[in-house]
C-alpha cells in the first residue's frame, strides 16, 4: 500500500504547486478581455430575452384589454336593447288609452322610437368595438 501512496502524494503535490502559478500580464489582460466580452454577450442576450418576454406579455395584456372592451360594448348594447324594448312596451301600453286614430299614431311613434333606439345602440356598439 505504501508503494502506491508515495507516487500519489508526489503527483498531488506537483498539481497543487502548479495551481497557484501566476500568469503574465498579457495573458491576464487577454483573459480579462475574454471574460468581459463573454459577460457583455450574456447580458445582451439576457436583455433581448427579457424584452421579448415583456413584449409577449404586453401583447397578451393588450389582447385581453381589447377583449374586455369588446365584451363591455356588447353588454352595453344588450342593455340598450333591453331599455328600448321596455320603453316600447310602456309606450304601446300607454297608447291603449287613446282613441283609434290617436292610438295608431301613438303606436307608430312608439315603433319609430324603438327602431331609432335599436339603431343608435347598434351604432354605439360598433363604434366601441376595437380591432386587434
Amino acid at each position: 500500500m505504501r508503494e502506491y501512496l508515495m507516487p500519489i502524494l508526489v503527483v498531488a503535490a506537483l498539481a497543487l504547486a502548479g495551481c497557484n502559478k501566476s500568469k503574465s500580464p498579457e495573458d491576464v489582460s487577454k483573459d480579462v478581455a475574454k471574460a468581459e466580452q463573454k459577460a457583455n454577450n450574456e447580458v445582451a442576450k439576457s436583455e433581448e430575452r427579457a424584452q421579448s418576454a415583456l413584449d409577449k406579455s404586453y401583447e397578451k395584456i393588450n389582447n385581453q384589454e381589447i377583449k374586455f372592451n369588446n365584451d363591455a360594448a356588447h353588454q352595453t348594447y344588450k342593455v340598450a336593447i333591453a331599455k328600448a324594448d321596455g320603453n316600447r312596451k310602456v309606450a304601446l301600453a300607454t297608447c291603449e288609452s287613446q282613441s283609434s286614430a290617436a292610438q295608431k299614431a301613438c303606436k307608430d311613434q312608439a315603433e319609430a322610437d324603438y327602431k331609432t333606439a335599436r339603431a343608435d345602440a347598434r351604432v354605439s356598439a360598433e363604434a366601441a368595438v376595437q380591432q386587434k
Side-chain angles (χ1 to χ4, degrees):
M1 175 102 162
R2 286 186 183 181
E3 296 170 8
Y4 297 111
L5 188 58
M6 187 54 92
I8 291 174
L9 289 175
V10 171
V11 170
L14 291 174
L16 288 174
C19 286
N20 291 328
K21 180 181 170 188
S22 64
K23 290 185 176 183
S24 71
E26 295 84 25
D27 288 343
V28 171
S29 179
K30 288 178 186 177
D31 290 347
V32 169
K34 285 180 186 178
E36 286 176 345
Q37 183 62 39
K38 186 175 180 180
N40 288 338
N41 288 341
E42 288 176 5
V43 168
K45 287 179 183 177
S46 180
E47 287 173 343
E48 289 173 7
R49 286 191 299 266
Q51 187 61 50
S52 176
L54 290 174
D55 289 345
K56 287 178 184 177
S57 293
Y58 177 77
E59 185 178 326
K60 287 178 184 177
I61 289 170
N62 194 35
N63 288 341
Q64 288 297 322
E65 183 180 9
I66 289 170
K67 183 182 181 311
F68 172 81
N69 289 336
N70 290 346
D71 287 347
H74 180 70
Q75 295 305 320
T76 301
Y77 170 78
K78 288 172 68 174
V79 168
I81 295 300
K83 285 181 182 179
D85 287 341
N87 290 341
R88 177 177 171 241
K89 289 176 184 175
V90 169
L92 290 175
T94 303
C95 292
E96 295 295 323
S97 67
Q98 298 179 6
S99 64
S100 63
Q103 187 180 59
K104 180 169 180 4
C106 181
K107 286 183 178 183
D108 289 345
Q109 184 61 47
E111 291 298 328
D113 291 345
Y114 174 70
K115 288 178 183 179
T116 300
R118 285 184 63 92
D120 289 346
R122 186 178 329 103
V123 168
S124 294
E126 288 172 356
V129 171
Q130 298 178 357
Q131 301 299 321
K132 291 182 183 179

